[in-house]
Amino acid sequence: MPVLMHEVLGPANGPTVLLSSGLGGAAAFWRPQLDALLGAGWRVITYDQRGTGRSGGILPEPYRIAHMAQDVLELLDATHTPSCHLVGHALGGLVGLQLALDAPARVASLGLVNAWSQPNPHSARCFEARLALLAAGGARAYCEAQPIFLYPAAWCAEHPERVESEVEHAIAHFPGETTMRQRIAALRAFDCDAALPGVDLPVWISATQDDALVPWTCSRHLAANLPQAQLHTLPHGGHAHSVTQAETFNASLLAFLAQQPHPPQA
């Protein structure tokens, strides 16, 4: 299969941060982080996940997080990146955990943003509701509901034009019902909880206590069971606090990355 559509930004031989998005899969999710990372001298890789955005493509069946981790491994090879610091939001965090288990030498550290290690009943209920919207109302109904799960209500009310623009963009670039169902099935099937003690590398965990989609206690559980984890929590910011609380998020991420030794680059 072809390598995913991606960008490599920053110094050619600098230490690398690879950014892996959540369910939407688009590289553009990380725009609020790019200036901060590049300004600090990091080489940054962003990419559109298979089946989404510019990457597109038909997904294998059954589709699993392991397929997504293999895509990242191939992306690292294609960009001549022996090792990276992988930061993943939600589903992207699951990809990071899977890659750390499958190819630990390729992951210098992990950033897990509102991620989890095993299914929980609240998130399952949210995904059932989203799938029901998709079945009954198609892409528009699904995308109209998306900000409710991503952002705090007050933030949405304060940024109506941005929210509307994001909704319309999501509708225009919707990957199709089959692909979306496969991606949701993959994240719902993910369970690496028993393997967490074996992920013995530095991990920065970031969560918000008002996340409407993923209980912040999932992040607390990760921090308690990963050998080298540090937990960064905010009271507000929603599921996408890398967007709504970008300045605070970036400062914490950069502080974590500054603590890490730089793996050799090709």
Side-chain angles (χ1 to χ4, degrees):
M1 300 179 76
V3 174
L4 304 177
M5 295 297 294
H6 62 277
E7 292 84 30
V8 182
L9 307 169
N13 297 311
T16 300
V17 176
L18 184 142
L19 302 173
S20 186
S21 302
L23 184 57
F29 177 79
W30 297 103
R31 283 176 185 159
Q33 281 63 62
L34 291 182
D35 285 348
L37 287 167
L38 294 171
W42 290 92
R43 175 177 181 255
V44 180
I45 299 175
T46 62
Y47 71 102
D48 287 352
Q49 294 173 10
R50 194 167 305 284
T52 74
R54 299 159 300 165
S55 292
I58 297 173
L59 305 180
E61 185 67 49
Y63 193 50
R64 293 292 180 259
I65 296 297
H67 292 107
M68 303 183 202
Q70 180 62 34
D71 277 339
V72 172
L73 189 59
E74 293 173 5
L75 180 56
L76 292 176
D77 290 342
T79 56
H80 308 290
T81 307
S83 180
C84 71
H85 302 274
L86 193 154
V87 180
H89 175 256
L91 177 148
L94 313 190
V95 175
L97 283 166
Q98 186 69 58
L99 186 63
L101 291 167
D102 293 346
R106 308 301 295 273
V107 184
S109 73
L110 279 176
L112 305 178
V113 184
N114 288 328
W116 62 93
S117 60
Q118 60 186 347
N120 75 82
H122 173 76
S123 296
R125 182 174 294 108
C126 291
F127 284 118
E128 285 294 336
R130 297 177 79 177
L131 289 170
L133 280 170
L134 181 58
R140 175 161 291 278
Y142 179 93
C143 295
E144 288 282 6
Q146 185 165 286
I148 298 170
F149 295 101
L150 282 180
Y151 305 128
W155 191 90
C156 286
E158 291 166 6
H159 301 85
E161 292 182 359
R162 174 169 179 169
V163 170
E164 183 62 25
S165 175
E166 288 186 5
V167 167
E168 293 302 324
H169 184 272
I171 294 168
H173 296 85
F174 193 72
E177 182 173 347
T178 297
T179 294
M180 187 57 69
R181 287 184 176 277
Q182 286 178 287
R183 287 174 59 76
I184 291 175
L187 66 81
R188 293 185 68 179
F190 182 77
D191 189 340
C192 74
D193 200 63
L196 290 180
V199 183
D200 195 7
L201 75 170
V203 182
W204 175 75
I205 300 169
S206 186
T208 51
Q209 295 179 1
D210 66 347
D211 186 342
L213 181 60
V214 180
W216 79 273
T217 48
C218 295
S219 290
R220 185 176 65 184
H221 178 81
L222 285 169
N225 288 276
L226 288 163
Q228 298 186 55
Q230 53 182 271
L231 177 62
H232 169 250
T233 62
L234 293 172
H236 305 294
H239 187 60
H241 67 285
S242 57
V243 176
T244 63
Q245 297 275 10
E247 185 174 348
T248 302
F249 177 94
N250 292 346
S252 180
L253 173 59
L254 288 174
F256 168 77
L257 291 171
Q259 300 169 5
Q260 308 311 315
H262 296 335
Q265 300 298 314

